[in-house]
Amino acid sequence: MDKNVDELEKWGFPLVELYRMALQFYKQNSGKALHLSYVDNLKLIAFKQQQQCGPFDPKTAPELGVLDVIGKDRRMHWQMLGDISREQAMEGFIDLLDSMCNAFRPYVEAVRKNRDETLKEELKRMEQEKQEKERKEREQQELLEEGYKEEMQRRQLQDALNKQTYQQFKTYAEKQFPGNPEQQAVLIHQLQQEHYHQYMQQLHMQNHNVAGEATTNNNNLGSMSEQHKNPLDMGNGGIGLTTDGDALNKDLAKMSIEETTQQQPHDGNQQLQNHNSDDDDYVLIQPAKIWTRPDIEDFKAEVSAGDGDGVITIGHGDTVTVRVPTNMNGKSIFWEFATDNYDIGFGIYFEWSKPVSQEVTVHVSDSDDDDEFLDEDYLSTNEDLECGSLANDRNNLANNSVSIKPPISIIVPIYRRECFNEVYVGSHSYPGEGVYLLKFDNSYSIWRSKTLYYRVYYER
C-alpha cells in the first residue's frame, strides 16, 4: 500500500474507510439483499485478493487440485487484473459493487449523514463543556477574589484591634508572667484572639438589633471598618479597655460571655484567675496540656471504623459544641481531633454546673443563632450554655427578675488549628464538677465545610 493511501478520498470518505465499508456491506448482504452472478462474485473476490496480496505471482501461489474449478476461476480473474495498485483494487471493488447494487450508495450516504450528525453533536457537546468550564472558572475566580477581599478586610480589622490593645495586654501579660517573654507573647496572642471574637459577637448582636435580621460575621466584614472607627469605644459597640492594671483585670473578666477564666495552655506552673461577681475571690484552674502527633491517617481510620460518633461534618459558618460531663470516677479529660484538608477553630470551656447525665452530646449552631442556642438535653438542670436557664426564663417572665446563668471558664481560647497535618491532643485535670464544652468553630469559613474526626475520654 502506498504511503499516501491515507490521503486518498472517495465519496467524501477516506478511501480505506470506504473500502472497509463496502467489504462489510458485501459480506453482510451477499445472498440476502445482494444477489450477484457467479462471474460478478469472482470479479469482486479478485479485487479483494489484489488489495490484500498485490498482483498474482504464480511462483508463490499454491497448487490447485485437478477438480478445484472454483479455485481456478478465481485465480484466472485475479491474473486478469494485472499489475494494478492496491488503491486501484479498492476503487475497483467499490465501483463494481456500486454498479451491481443500487442499495450500496444510499447505505454510504446514510452512514455519512449519521457520522456528520454525530460529529456535530460531539462538537456541540465539546463547546458546551468548554463554556461550562469557563463559567465555573469565572465563578471560582470571583469566589476567590471575594474571599480574598473579605479575608483582607478581616485581617485589617484584627490588626487594628491588635494595635490598640497590644500595650494594654502586654502590661497585663508582664504582670502574669514576669521575666518570661515567650509565655507573655502566647498570652498576648490569646487575649487578642479572644478580644477579636468578643468584638465580632457584639458587632453581630448590634447589627442584628439595628437591622432586625440576623447576618453572619463574614457579611459584616465589608462595612464594620467604616461603622466602627474605634473598635474599643464602648459607644460604638466595642469593648472598652483601660490602661490601669487593676482595671484591666476587671475588663478581662467582662470579655467572655460569662464569668471566665483565661488560661495559658502550655504552662504547668502559672494560671490566670477567674473573677467572681464581687471581683474579690479567685477560682484556680490548672492549665491544659496540648501536644500533637504525626499519625493522622491511622487516627482518622480508627475513628472512622468506630460507631460513627467521632466523625462530624461541620458546615460553613457553623460551630459544633461537644458537651462532655465530668465523671465521678475520673480525674481528667483527654481529647484528640483532626480534620481533612483544612484547619478548624478549637477551644475548651468549662461550665460550672452539675451534670444531669454522663452522656456526651453534640450540638450544632450556625453563626447567626449561636447566641440563641438552647440545650434541650440540659433543660432539667435549669441551666444552659448560651442562654441560661429555660425554667428561670419562664419564671422571670412572670416575676420580671434577671435570669441566672451558670458560670463558664475559658480553659483554652478558640483559635484556628492546622489539624489537617497532625493530630491535636490534649488533657486537663478536672477543676471540679461540671461540663466541658469542646468548641469546634467553622464560623469564619464562607463556603467550605470541614470533616472533623475526634475522640474524648477520661482518666481514672
Side-chain angles (χ1 to χ4, degrees):
M1 189 176 294
D2 294 342
K3 295 182 179 179
N4 62 345
V5 64
D6 292 334
E7 301 177 0
L8 299 177
E9 291 189 359
K10 186 177 182 66
W11 298 356
F13 285 92
L15 180 61
V16 174
E17 182 180 350
L18 182 60
Y19 171 73
R20 291 173 181 170
M21 195 183 308
L23 188 61
Q24 181 181 17
F25 180 85
Y26 169 72
K27 291 180 179 180
Q28 290 179 347
N29 296 278
S30 181
K32 300 176 183 177
L34 181 61
H35 298 280
L36 302 178
S37 65
Y38 177 72
V39 175
D40 291 336
N41 270 311
L42 291 176
K43 292 179 181 179
L44 288 175
I45 293 174
F47 280 122
K48 177 175 175 290
Q49 289 177 316
Q50 187 82 1
Q51 189 275 333
Q52 287 180 338
C53 305
F56 176 75
D57 186 0
K59 297 179 181 180
T60 59
E63 295 183 2
L64 298 176
V66 178
L67 302 178
D68 190 0
V69 178
I70 297 178
K72 293 180 180 179
D73 291 341
R74 289 182 177 181
R75 182 167 294 183
M76 181 184 65
H77 281 80
W78 185 5
Q79 285 179 304
M80 292 171 58
L81 295 178
D83 295 331
I84 66 172
S85 66
R86 298 187 179 185
E87 293 74 32
Q88 291 173 326
M90 287 190 288
E91 284 195 272
F93 186 95
I94 294 169
D95 292 337
L96 182 59
L97 182 63
D98 180 41
S99 64
M100 293 185 299
C101 181
N102 296 329
F104 177 60
R105 183 68 69 97
Y107 167 76
V108 174
E109 293 295 329
V111 172
R112 180 170 56 190
K113 182 178 179 181
N114 182 66
R115 183 195 64 176
D116 293 342
E117 291 178 353
T118 303
L119 181 60
K120 289 180 181 179
E121 291 179 357
E122 181 66 17
L123 293 174
K124 182 178 180 181
R125 183 186 64 81
M126 293 175 61
E127 182 65 22
Q128 290 176 346
E129 289 181 352
K130 180 180 178 182
Q131 294 177 356
E132 181 67 15
K133 182 179 179 180
E134 292 176 351
R135 183 186 65 82
K136 290 183 178 180
E137 289 178 351
R138 287 196 303 269
E139 292 179 352
Q140 183 70 14
Q141 184 64 27
E142 291 174 357
L143 288 174
L144 290 174
E145 292 176 356
E146 180 182 356
Y148 176 77
K149 181 179 178 181
E150 292 180 350
E151 178 65 16
M152 292 300 297
Q153 291 173 337
R154 184 194 69 79
R155 291 185 181 182
Q156 291 174 359
L157 173 64
Q158 191 166 12
D159 289 343
L161 290 170
N162 292 344
K163 288 180 181 179
Q164 296 185 26
T165 59
Y166 175 76
Q167 193 59 43
Q168 300 171 19
F169 287 154
K170 183 175 183 293
T171 302
Y172 179 75
E174 289 174 348
K175 293 181 179 180
Q176 298 299 319
F177 301 100
N180 193 337
E182 293 183 359
Q183 297 288 1
Q184 292 174 15
V186 173
L187 178 56
I188 291 172
H189 176 73
Q190 292 176 354
L191 293 175
Q192 288 177 335
Q193 289 288 333
E194 182 65 20
H195 178 225
Y196 171 75
H197 288 305
Q198 293 301 320
Y199 171 74
M200 294 299 295
Q201 288 178 356
Q202 292 192 13
L203 179 65
H204 164 67
M205 293 177 63
Q206 184 184 39
N207 288 346
H208 175 76
N209 293 334
V210 172
E213 59 183 9
T215 56
T216 63
N217 291 343
N218 289 319
N219 290 336
N220 291 327
L221 289 173
S223 60
M224 60 181 64
S225 59
E226 295 297 328
Q227 294 175 351
H228 303 277
K229 297 298 183 181
N230 183 8
L232 300 181
D233 184 1
M234 288 295 290
N236 286 335
I239 300 175
L241 295 176
T242 66
T243 58
D244 179 69
D246 294 335
L248 178 60
N249 291 339
K250 297 180 181 180
D251 291 329
L252 291 173
K254 296 176 182 178
M255 283 175 58
S256 61
I257 300 174
E258 306 295 343
E259 298 172 344
T260 62
T261 297
Q262 178 65 48
Q263 291 297 319
Q264 165 58 29
H266 300 287
D267 181 39
N269 299 319
Q270 298 285 349
Q271 58 271 334
L272 300 183
Q273 299 168 330
N274 179 44
H275 294 259
N276 67 358
S277 57
D278 298 329
D279 289 327
D280 295 328
D281 298 331
Y282 298 93
V283 177
L284 298 179
I285 297 183
Q286 293 294 326
K289 298 179 182 179
I290 298 179
W291 64 97
T292 60
R293 297 201 321 260
D295 57 333
I296 184 169
E297 296 301 330
D298 293 340
F299 170 74
K300 291 193 291 187
E302 291 177 5
V303 174
S304 300
D307 55 11
D309 293 338
V311 182
I312 302 176
T313 299
I314 305 177
H316 56 85
D318 289 350
T319 298
V320 167
T321 301
V322 180
R323 295 179 58 92
V324 184
T326 56
N327 191 289
M328 61 182 300
N329 297 322
K331 63 179 182 180
S332 60
I333 183 177
F334 283 79
W335 62 86
E336 303 171 307
F337 68 91
T339 57
D340 289 335
N341 302 322
Y342 305 105
D343 61 4
I344 196 75
F346 174 72
I348 302 179
Y349 295 68
F350 188 80
E351 182 180 273
W352 297 86
S353 58
K354 184 176 181 179
V356 295
S357 72
Q358 295 299 312
E359 294 292 330
V360 176
T361 58
V362 178
H363 306 273
V364 181
S365 59
D366 58 36
S367 57
D368 293 339
D369 60 11
D370 190 51
D371 293 335
E372 300 175 2
F373 168 77
L374 282 178
D375 182 5
E376 297 179 356
D377 296 332
Y378 202 64
L379 296 181
S380 61
T381 66
N382 296 332
E383 296 166 336
D384 182 79
L385 170 61
E386 306 293 343
C387 297
S389 166
L390 180 62
N392 284 345
D393 290 344
R394 292 172 178 170
N395 294 333
N396 294 338
L397 292 176
N399 301 330
N400 294 324
S401 60
V402 179
S403 61
I404 300 175
K405 303 176 183 178
I408 297 178
S409 298
I410 300 178
I411 297 175
V412 178
I414 297 177
Y415 58 91
R416 293 162 69 171
R417 323 277 174 154
E418 294 185 353
C419 49
F420 54 91
N421 292 322
E422 298 178 299
V423 181
Y424 272 66
V425 188
S427 67
H428 186 255
S429 299
Y430 287 172
E433 188 177 28
V435 180
Y436 282 95
L437 310 177
L438 279 67
K439 286 190 171 288
F440 298 95
D441 180 18
N442 195 33
S443 60
Y444 58 85
S445 182
I446 302 175
W447 60 79
R448 287 196 180 102
S449 297
K450 311 290 176 63
T451 300
L452 171 70
Y453 305 81
Y454 77 95
R455 187 160 53 194
V456 182
Y457 47 92
Y458 68 90
E459 182 182 30
R460 293 183 180 275

